[in-house]
Amino acid sequence: MCKSPSTNPNWHTFLTRLPKCEHHVHLEGCLTPSLIFHLASKNNVRLPNPAENPAYASIDTLTHRYGHFTSLDDFLSFYFTGMAVLQHKSDFEELAWSYFQQAHKDGVHHAEVFFDPQVHRDRGVPYSDIVDGYVAGCRRAERAFGMTTRLIMCFLRHLPLESAEKLYATALEAGDLKPHSDSDDEESRPRIHGIGCSSSEIGPPKDMYAAIYASAASKGINRTAHAGEEGDASYVAAALEFGATRIDHGVRLAEDPELMAQIAQRGTLLTVCPVSNVQLKCFDSISDVPIRKFLDAGVRFSINSDDPAYFGAYVLDCYCAVQEAFGLSVEEWRVIAENGVNGSWVGEGRKRELLEGVDRLIEEFKGLL
Ligand code: ADE
Ligand code: ZN
């Protein structure tokens, strides 16, 4: 994976130091093969028998297999198998902390991270261990790095609707899922800042969470949804219809110029994951991801890693890959960075700080790129 754009070495420094907002990364997608094997051994979790699935013979064979996903569902089978090693509150905290350390190195100043409670609960892990562990990882990163963080709880479309309904009720009862708050005060802000939905796209009804999203909207809870990744632009239209205010992926929107113009006009943020799209065979190469189309159409988007441990690319690698493929100008990076800040679920004060950081860096690099 690209570590340094070939054109001018200053680009790599610029992209590293650019204050980044990451809005689309699954914490369970940060489980590296070595952490999977380590936690499996610590927690006595049996990984699949290598005689049946040779990918699980060793860390190396698993890493190799991750380079050959054939589709979203092929990837998801490894993703859901891997996360079975997470058993204790400390495992969730360790996983989140490992992501935030890398994100800090990559110049992430604000991170909104997904997690998938349903599958952990189905394995018998108490809800509070999952959320307490992830919240502890977030707080540790905030204290250590001065970054801001947000947790987003994802509903999984391949599981029965009742399972999502139960999770939603539990999070509300626990007082974790609360209306959007601009505050970063630990006491008053929600522990979970919003809901999302992910997993298989084609198959489940497009509007399966309409009632949950309507309820969340009525309570002022933030809402995003994976849509338009493998599914066509009608999945994006459906997600907007059922009340998502942000779209995760959304790249197939480019096939529908009319909807694309509407989304540009509304200012809806797409959380684009270019390396993920190539690894999951949504596009043949990064240059086929509609980055240029979105910029030209005024569609707001951020650049994200999705499942960095599975796709071999953390967020800085994704920024570099985009620069390699599209040769963007500094002003185009300003637009991307500013749209990312403005589409973040933080208060105006934090947005101002982040925007000032972007501006300072661009001033510093003017004339060098
Ligand atoms: N869960 C983790 N990564 C995902 C992706 N790219 N699409 C849908 N669900 C996911
Ligand atoms: Zn995703």
Side-chain angles (χ1 to χ4, degrees):
M1 189 49 54
C2 153
K3 296 285 177 203
S4 169
S6 50
T7 39
N8 172 344
N10 288 341
W11 272 109
H12 190 252
T13 314
F14 171 74
L15 292 175
T16 307
R17 289 187 47 211
L18 185 65
K20 286 175 260 319
C21 297
E22 182 153 53
H23 304 112
H24 187 157
V25 54
H26 301 260
L27 288 176
E28 291 86 356
C30 300
L31 263 174
T32 57
S34 64
L35 192 52
I36 288 175
F37 275 82
H38 162 71
L39 290 175
S41 154
K42 175 177 92 72
N43 293 335
N44 286 319
V45 172
R46 237 196 242 181
L47 291 173
N49 185 343
E52 279 150 31
N53 188 341
Y56 287 94
S58 69
I59 293 173
D60 282 350
T61 55
L62 193 55
T63 307
H64 178 78
R65 178 63 177 82
Y66 286 1
H68 297 84
F69 296 125
T70 55
S71 65
L72 172 60
D73 282 348
D74 178 42
F75 152 71
L76 288 172
S77 70
F78 284 89
Y79 173 78
F80 288 119
T81 301
M83 68 175 77
V85 300
L86 297 163
Q87 296 285 335
H88 306 291
K89 178 186 157 190
S90 59
D91 302 335
F92 295 98
E93 178 174 356
E94 181 182 350
L95 176 59
W97 175 239
S98 73
Y99 160 71
F100 287 120
Q101 287 176 94
Q102 183 60 47
H104 174 63
K105 281 191 200 144
D106 279 6
V108 172
H109 289 218
H110 174 69
E112 301 188 1
V113 300
F114 295 123
F115 69 114
D116 291 347
Q118 280 163 283
V119 274
H120 308 307
R121 294 184 90 195
D122 287 351
R123 283 186 284 105
V125 182
Y127 165 87
S128 58
D129 284 4
I130 306 164
V131 179
D132 291 354
Y134 280 146
V135 168
C138 290
R139 298 288 181 270
R140 187 171 172 190
E142 291 174 358
R143 280 192 293 272
F145 304 133
M147 62 200 297
T148 37
T149 71
R150 300 287 184 256
L151 275 178
I152 305 171
M153 184 173 88
C154 269
F155 303 117
L156 298 172
R157 293 179 293 217
H158 69 285
L159 295 177
L161 176 59
E162 302 77 65
S163 159
E165 288 168 340
K166 271 194 203 144
L167 172 63
Y168 179 62
T170 304
L172 286 175
E173 272 160 33
D176 289 336
L177 200 49
K178 291 198 281 204
H180 174 78
S181 156
D182 278 356
S183 167
D184 267 314
D185 173 60
E186 289 212 2
E187 296 305 308
S188 61
R189 65 180 169 157
R191 297 207 312 159
I192 302 174
H193 280 83
I195 57 169
C197 58
S198 57
S199 188
S200 302
E201 184 168 21
I202 295 170
K206 289 177 192 167
D207 62 348
M208 88 184 262
Y209 299 123
I212 296 180
Y213 275 63
S215 159
S218 74
K219 296 180 198 302
I221 293 168
N222 292 314
R223 305 164 312 280
T224 187
H226 280 55
E229 179 185 16
E230 278 191 342
D232 62 25
S234 70
Y235 287 76
V236 177
L240 294 173
E241 181 72 30
F242 69 65
T245 58
R246 186 192 281 173
I247 299 293
D248 301 310
H249 293 292
V251 279
R252 291 199 61 192
L253 172 66
E255 296 165 19
D256 183 339
E258 214 169 289
L259 186 59
M260 192 160 71
Q262 274 173 36
I263 286 199
Q265 222 242 329
R266 286 162 77 143
T268 306
L269 186 79
L270 308 183
T271 67
V272 173
C273 306
V275 174
S276 160
N277 291 157
V278 173
Q279 294 297 100
L280 299 188
K281 309 291 182 285
C282 300
F283 295 102
D284 290 339
S285 73
I286 302 283
S287 50
D288 296 319
V289 179
I291 297 283
R292 169 57 57 204
K293 277 192 186 150
F294 288 162
L295 279 170
D296 291 348
V299 171
R300 297 181 177 202
F301 64 89
S302 58
I303 294 170
N304 305 274
S305 63
D306 203 4
D307 301 286
Y310 288 82
F311 305 145
Y314 283 79
V315 72
L316 176 60
D317 302 318
C318 301
Y319 274 62
C320 291
V322 166
Q323 181 59 14
E324 286 256 299
F326 292 96
L328 302 184
S329 68
V330 174
E331 283 309 312
E332 285 168 329
W333 279 110
R334 182 200 290 278
V335 169
I336 294 170
E338 290 183 350
N339 286 341
V341 173
N342 287 321
S344 294
W345 292 341
V346 289
E348 291 307 316
R350 181 61 177 146
K351 282 185 187 171
R352 218 171 306 118
E353 273 175 18
L354 291 163
L355 290 172
E356 283 168 6
V358 170
D359 199 46
R360 267 197 307 275
L361 187 83
I362 289 180
E363 284 307 309
E364 188 183 329
F365 274 79
K366 269 195 179 153
L368 294 175
L369 296 169

